[in-house]
């Protein structure tokens, strides 16, 4: 491949190859504080390939390929190449990672204890983690929480935060340093997207695990409410939110059972980021 | 009394299942298939009542109705047979001919 | 070319300790693309490799163990579904290697369950599997009719709860292919494994793998198929019995080519015919990014694979129908 970058994020190392320079240049700049050792052995390879014989030049169009691929993934416009690279890395983790139980969740840490938030896209879990990361919590990740298979700890995976639509302005108001934002990607399949570089301490401490203390199922846009969630329901929802639960077999079963029986779980409804942050502070201080 | 050779039910070879509790539910990890099953009462009780020797549903029902508050009648038997068929299809228990009635 | 480095390592695992870290990325990508990473992991057990490599290999072993467990469970379920018919399925390919504990199964990815049943009992077997929770994958009437008339297997079935596919074969090559292996002999010579399961005889296992690779496929995934053949050949005790069996099934030339390719790719090297060399170029086409660097050759083999299976007029009709439906070779 003509352009390449090797990138360490949390416990994983990615090798990204591209036929075009632009996505690699953007990645390299946004991930400047992360390990970029070209000689490192990568866990996964991601390839940004032309979607057809002429598509390197003519209406350039990117196909996301690599070690693990989705057979029918739609190609993306080259101007969304950065997003394609991020999606490619997520896909490798989702389909390939076996060293932790991988849960589709965001997480933040305080005093060595982790708050894990999971839910459908649109629940606000990603934006909430980014917001708390600017307000005294350590940001651990907005997409995947990695559960340790032997001690149950939560490991960070602090890739770039992927802000969508209204969350972009909300975080622009929160983060003073405009250099932490990537280019605005308009009209992607998920609307407008802008990437945000996590705070410096999140990157510096990206190999530092925390003990899970609270699991939340946030829901954005619904009047304030807090409800307990039963263990059976939590177990079911987390098996669905995990991309490698089945692949890990008995180890995954034991890790998830442990998490569900040890970590209290609540569903919270909220109408604004400030409201959610206040609710979370309250719930957090009420923990034993 | 059923004739010798009628279909009975027995537990599978030991070591194939991992049992865990989850308030009010039983989680079973089935090693041979790698599948997780979430069982609600009376399925765990039925599985616990099985032995290595195949038993007829009627004998099982008599046993279960002693230990738990279960109806020992035709409706109870039909419900039990459905549960047994379901557990067999999942491979959590096995069906086998009964040597003796 | 990374595929070359991969086969060199499979052939001679101790080379691993002499590799530079920078060489591993290409080898790992090629191994993943060829579905040989688990096999490589098994081959490299006990060999000194860099830590990040051993973590990747450990993941691959875990995946292979899971594949094996699930394949054996699927075989168990299929056997249970067919038992009331008094029919014992003959396991083929990966599931057979795993169930029989063969070295070809070590670290191998398995995927679908392939079984063989007598052709005159196909309808009963199909009905029993449908009753036990398997369903049609593609209800497309053209494909369905095509399978039933010309293929060596039923259209694939998928289990509605376990989400796993089963291919029910009645012979080992499509009915349109030139060689016509003796399906009845495959069945009468099959070997009992216990648990209601059977596998093909030692010789027929080799010949099935050879037929599948040389007379049926477009050679995609060919390196893995060739590795299977290498391992199965190494298990053969009586070479002349294998030759006689190949002649009986009409697969003598295919077996000869397979032996040459095994010797060349996974052995000490061997003089090849011109056509053999094209096979080798196709087999070793993965580059350091895991990409197929010889796409044109892939297309040529795609067309060849159809020629092998069908007479020309039928081929044109088939490709035309597929094309209209939007199918393109990858």
């Amino acid at each position: 491949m003509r352009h390449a970058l090797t990138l360490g994020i949390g416990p994983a190392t990615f090798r990204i190859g591209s036929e075009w320079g632009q996505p690699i240049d953007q990645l390299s700049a946004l991930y400047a504080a992360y390990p970029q050792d070209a000689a490192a052995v990568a866990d996964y390879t991601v390839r940004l390939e032309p979607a057809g014989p002429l598509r390197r030049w003519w209406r350039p169009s990117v196909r996301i390929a690599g070690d693990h691929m989705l057979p029918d993934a739609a190609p993306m416009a080259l101007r969304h190449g950065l997003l394609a690279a991020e999606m490619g890395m997520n896909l490798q983790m989702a389909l390939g990672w076996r060293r932790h139980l991988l849960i589709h969740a965001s997480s933040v840490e305080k005093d060595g204890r982790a708050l894990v938030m999971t839910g459908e896209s649109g629940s606000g879990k990603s934006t909430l983690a980014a917001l708390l990361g600017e307000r005294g919590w350590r940001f651990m990740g907005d997409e995947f929480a990695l559960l340790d298979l032997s001690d149950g700890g939560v490991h960070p995976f602090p890739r770039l935060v992927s802000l969508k639509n209204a969350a972009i302005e909300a975080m622009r108001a929160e983060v003073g340093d405009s250099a932490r934002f990537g280019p605005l990607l308009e009209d992607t399949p998920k609307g407008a997207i802008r990437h945000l570089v996590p705070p410096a301490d999140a990157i510096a401490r990206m190999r530092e695990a925390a003990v899970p203390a609270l699991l939340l199922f946030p829901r954005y846009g619904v009047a304030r409410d807090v409800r307990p969630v039963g263990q059976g329901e939590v177990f079911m929802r987390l098996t669905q939110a995990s991309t490698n639960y089945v692949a890990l077999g008995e180890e995954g079963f034991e890790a998830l059972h442990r998490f569900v029986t040890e970590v209290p779980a609540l569903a919270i409804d909220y109408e604004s980021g400030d409201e959610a942050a206040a609710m979370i502070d309250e719930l957090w201080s009420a923990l034993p | 009394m059923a004739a010798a050779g009628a279909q009975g039910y027995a537990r599978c070879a030991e070591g194939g299942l991992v049992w865990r509790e989850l308030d009010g539910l039983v989680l079973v990890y089935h090693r041979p298939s790698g599948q997780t099953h979430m069982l609600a009462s009376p399925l765990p009780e039925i599985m616990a009542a099985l032995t290595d020797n195949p038993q007829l549903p009627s004998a099982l029902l008599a046993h279960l109705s002693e230990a738990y508050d279960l109806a020992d009648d035709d409706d109870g038997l039909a419900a039990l047979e459905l549960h047994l068929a379901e557990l067999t299809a999942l491979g959590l228990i096995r069906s086998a001919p009964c040597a003796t009635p | 070319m990374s595929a070359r480095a991969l086969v060199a390592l499979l052939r001679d695992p101790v080379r691993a300790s002499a590799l530079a870290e920078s060489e591993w990325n290409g080898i790992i990508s090629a191994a993943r693309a060829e579905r040989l990473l688990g096999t490589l992991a098994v081959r490299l057990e006990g060999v000194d490799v860099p830590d990040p490599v051993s973590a990747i290999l450990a993941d691959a072993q875990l995946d292979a163990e899971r594949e094996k467990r699930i394949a054996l469970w699927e075989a168990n379920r299929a056997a249970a579904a067919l038992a009331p018919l008094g029919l014992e399925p003959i396991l083929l390919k990966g599931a057979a290697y795993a169930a029989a504990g063969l070295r070809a199964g070590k670290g191998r990815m398995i995927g679908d369950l392939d079984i063989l049943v007598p052709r005159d009992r196909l309808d009963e077997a199909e009905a029993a599997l449908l009753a036990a929770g398997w369903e049609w994958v593609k209800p497309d009437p053209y494909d369905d009719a095509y399978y039933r008339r010309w293929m060596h297997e039923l259209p694939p079935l998928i289990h509605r709860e376990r989400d796993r596919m089963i291919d029910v074969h009645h012979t080992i090559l499509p009915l349109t292919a030139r060689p016509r292996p003796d399906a009845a002999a495959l069945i009468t010579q099959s070997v009992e494994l216990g648990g209601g399961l059977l596998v093909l005889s030692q010789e027929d296992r080799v010949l099935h793998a050879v037929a599948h690779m040389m007379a049926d496929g477009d050679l995609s995934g060919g390196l893995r198929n060739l590795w299977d053949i290498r391992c199965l050949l190494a298990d053969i005790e009586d070479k002349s019995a294998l030759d006689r069996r190949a002649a009986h099934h009409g697969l003598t030339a295919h077996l000869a080519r397979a032996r040459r390719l095994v010797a060349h790719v996974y052995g000490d090297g061997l003089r090849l015919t011109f056509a053999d060399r094209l096979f080798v170029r196709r087999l070793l086409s993965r580059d350091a990014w895991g990409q197929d660097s010889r796409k044109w050759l892939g297309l040529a083999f795609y067309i060849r694979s159809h020629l092998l299976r069908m007479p020309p007029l039928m081929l044109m009709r088939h490709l035309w129908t597929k094309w209209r439906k939007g199918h393109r070779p990858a």
Side-chain angles (χ1 to χ4, degrees):
Chain A
M1 306 233 78
R2 286 177 172 77
H3 307 271
L5 176 70
T6 301
L7 204 54
I9 305 175
T13 304
F14 302 90
R15 177 174 68 137
I16 304 122
S18 168
E19 288 299 321
W20 304 273
Q22 175 213 306
I24 296 294
D25 294 342
Q26 289 174 342
L27 276 178
S28 168
L30 290 166
Y31 281 103
Y34 295 67
Q36 296 189 6
D37 172 8
V41 175
D43 295 302
Y44 304 108
T45 291
V46 174
R47 302 190 307 260
L48 302 181
E49 301 176 344
L54 298 173
R55 289 309 189 84
R56 190 153 88 83
W57 305 279
W58 178 67
R59 289 200 285 150
S61 171
V62 185
R63 174 171 51 219
I64 306 170
D67 290 335
H68 300 280
M69 293 192 246
L70 292 180
D72 301 316
M76 297 174 72
L78 177 58
R79 66 196 157 85
H80 298 150
L82 173 63
L83 178 62
E86 286 284 315
M87 287 170 66
M89 286 190 280
N90 278 347
L91 193 63
Q92 305 312 308
M93 287 302 281
L95 299 181
W97 194 251
R98 299 288 182 264
R99 295 170 217 165
H100 303 88
L101 179 65
L102 192 150
I103 293 174
H104 210 89
S106 66
S107 54
V108 292
E109 176 260 7
K110 205 184 250 184
D111 305 323
R113 307 209 298 165
L115 164 66
V116 179
M117 294 175 278
T118 185
E120 313 269 302
S121 94
S123 65
K125 65 178 189 311
S126 175
T127 316
L128 275 180
L131 188 77
L132 295 172
E134 303 300 321
R135 296 185 181 183
W137 296 71
R138 169 166 65 114
F139 173 83
M140 294 178 77
D142 79 325
E143 181 85 9
F144 297 129
L146 309 176
L147 283 197
D148 196 296
L149 295 170
S150 50
D151 69 12
V154 179
H155 292 257
F157 185 69
R159 52 155 223 172
L160 301 181
V161 185
S162 169
L163 300 169
K164 291 175 199 87
N165 304 314
I168 299 172
E169 269 321 297
M171 288 309 293
R172 280 293 287 129
E174 202 74 23
V175 178
D177 180 4
S178 65
R180 281 179 54 202
F181 288 88
L184 178 64
L185 308 175
E186 280 174 299
D187 305 320
T188 78
K190 291 175 179 171
I193 285 188
R194 197 161 182 191
H195 292 94
L196 168 67
V197 179
D201 74 317
I203 302 168
R205 296 168 63 194
M206 71 181 186
R207 309 206 66 148
E208 204 180 295
V211 181
L214 180 62
L215 171 68
L216 293 179
F217 294 91
R219 193 161 58 148
Y220 172 68
V222 184
R224 176 181 177 132
D225 191 26
V226 179
R227 296 175 304 281
V229 187
Q231 289 182 354
E233 188 185 343
V234 174
F235 193 94
M236 284 297 291
R237 287 175 74 168
L238 291 181
T239 56
Q240 286 157 6
S242 170
T243 57
N244 66 358
Y245 171 75
V246 174
L248 287 173
E250 192 169 342
E251 277 192 298
F253 172 75
E254 295 287 12
L256 191 59
H257 176 258
R258 174 183 186 152
F259 183 86
V260 171
T261 48
E262 289 182 358
V263 183
L266 297 166
I268 64 166
D269 300 339
Y270 66 99
E271 288 178 302
S272 76
D274 286 333
E275 184 179 37
M279 290 166 79
I280 287 169
D281 275 343
E282 213 172 290
L283 294 170
W284 190 256
S285 53
L287 287 177
Chain B
M1 284 286 118
Q7 260 332 294
Y9 294 89
R11 64 181 176 204
C12 292
E14 218 169 309
L17 299 174
V18 183
W19 297 81
R20 292 287 175 270
E21 303 244 337
L22 215 56
D23 55 22
L25 294 164
V26 172
L27 286 177
V28 178
Y29 179 78
H30 183 234
R31 285 191 173 125
S33 65
Q35 288 185 305
T36 305
H37 302 283
M38 199 178 267
L39 305 180
S41 187
L43 296 178
E45 291 82 359
I46 293 173
M47 288 180 69
L50 294 173
T51 61
D52 292 336
N53 296 321
Q55 299 172 70
L56 289 174
S58 52
L60 263 175
L61 185 64
H63 176 79
L64 283 164
S65 57
E66 242 169 69
Y68 307 99
D69 189 21
L70 277 181
D72 188 1
D73 57 15
D74 284 353
D75 284 353
L77 187 63
L80 177 62
E81 281 178 335
L82 270 179
H83 288 317
L84 289 166
E86 194 183 349
L87 291 168
T88 309
L90 292 174
L92 293 176
I93 65 173
R94 62 191 173 91
S95 74
C98 276
T100 49
Chain C
M1 199 56 66
S2 281
R4 282 195 189 280
L6 169 65
V7 298
L9 208 48
L10 285 169
R11 194 190 302 142
D12 190 9
V14 291
R15 281 162 176 260
S17 26
L19 286 173
E21 290 224 359
S22 59
E23 291 174 87
W24 280 105
N25 283 327
I27 291 171
I28 290 165
S29 280
R32 279 207 179 105
E34 296 292 343
R35 293 171 63 77
L36 275 167
L37 190 60
T39 304
L40 182 65
V42 171
R43 287 291 276 172
L44 290 178
E45 270 173 15
V47 179
D48 195 26
V49 299
D51 287 345
V53 175
S54 70
I56 290 166
L57 296 177
D59 291 348
Q61 292 231 37
L62 187 87
D63 282 339
E65 279 158 28
R66 184 195 64 250
E67 289 273 322
K68 177 178 169 176
R69 193 172 59 236
I70 291 176
L72 294 179
W73 180 248
E74 286 301 307
N76 169 298
R77 293 292 85 191
L82 299 175
L85 307 177
L87 195 56
E88 291 185 320
I90 299 172
L91 302 181
L92 301 173
K93 305 186 205 172
Y97 310 155
L102 304 182
R103 80 181 93 183
K106 300 237 180 307
R108 191 186 190 275
M109 299 302 272
I110 299 178
D112 305 349
L113 176 67
D114 295 277
I115 62 169
L116 178 74
V117 300
R119 195 173 187 191
D120 59 3
R121 308 208 57 188
L122 209 52
D123 292 345
E124 287 170 78
E126 181 180 358
L129 292 171
L130 289 172
W134 277 274
E135 297 173 335
W136 301 121
V137 177
K138 28 178 153 182
D140 180 308
Y142 172 78
D143 281 338
D144 192 74
Y146 179 83
Y147 260 95
R148 286 170 193 280
R149 180 144 182 222
W150 299 112
M151 290 299 279
H152 49 312
E153 60 196 12
L154 288 174
L157 295 163
I158 192 160
H159 196 276
R160 64 169 169 256
E161 273 133 35
R162 296 193 304 275
D163 204 27
R164 298 287 293 192
M165 301 246 278
I166 186 170
D167 286 326
V168 184
H169 302 239
H170 57 81
T171 183
I172 54 172
L173 275 180
L175 303 177
T176 48
R178 232 162 298 151
R180 285 295 188 94
D182 180 351
L186 294 171
I187 291 166
T188 51
Q189 298 289 305
S190 62
V191 184
E192 193 79 50
L193 282 184
L197 298 172
L198 299 164
V199 291
L200 295 176
S201 73
Q202 219 173 46
E203 291 79 21
D204 285 340
R205 289 199 290 260
V206 175
L207 294 168
H208 178 213
V210 166
H212 177 62
M213 176 172 175
M214 301 295 165
D216 185 22
D218 63 357
L219 285 194
S220 63
L223 269 190
R224 207 273 312 271
N225 293 334
L226 194 66
W227 180 260
D228 287 347
I229 296 171
R230 171 205 175 272
C231 296
L232 295 169
L233 278 172
D235 289 338
I236 290 285
E237 289 142 19
D238 181 356
K239 290 202 166 48
S240 63
L242 176 61
D243 292 337
R244 284 194 302 277
R245 196 68 174 167
H248 179 77
H249 288 308
L251 292 167
T252 300
H254 301 87
L255 176 63
R257 168 163 282 153
R259 279 181 168 140
R260 292 197 302 273
L261 291 175
V262 165
H264 182 81
V265 174
Y266 293 123
D268 306 330
L270 186 98
R271 277 182 63 101
L272 296 174
T273 67
F274 175 74
D276 288 345
R277 265 180 256 143
L278 276 180
F279 276 79
V280 171
R281 284 174 65 82
R282 166 78 175 126
L283 288 171
L284 299 179
S285 62
R286 293 281 169 198
D287 66 13
W289 287 86
Q291 288 173 298
D292 186 346
S293 61
R294 296 189 183 114
K295 286 239 168 67
W296 58 273
L297 203 53
L299 183 63
F301 272 92
Y302 177 78
I303 292 171
R304 174 184 174 276
S305 73
H306 278 80
L307 281 172
L308 287 171
R309 283 192 290 215
M310 298 181 193
L313 186 64
M314 226 174 100
L315 172 65
M316 273 172 52
R317 211 163 46 211
H318 176 70
L319 286 179
W320 169 243
T321 311
K322 291 300 253 190
W323 191 268
R324 271 192 332 199
K325 288 169 183 290
H327 181 83
R328 304 286 185 278

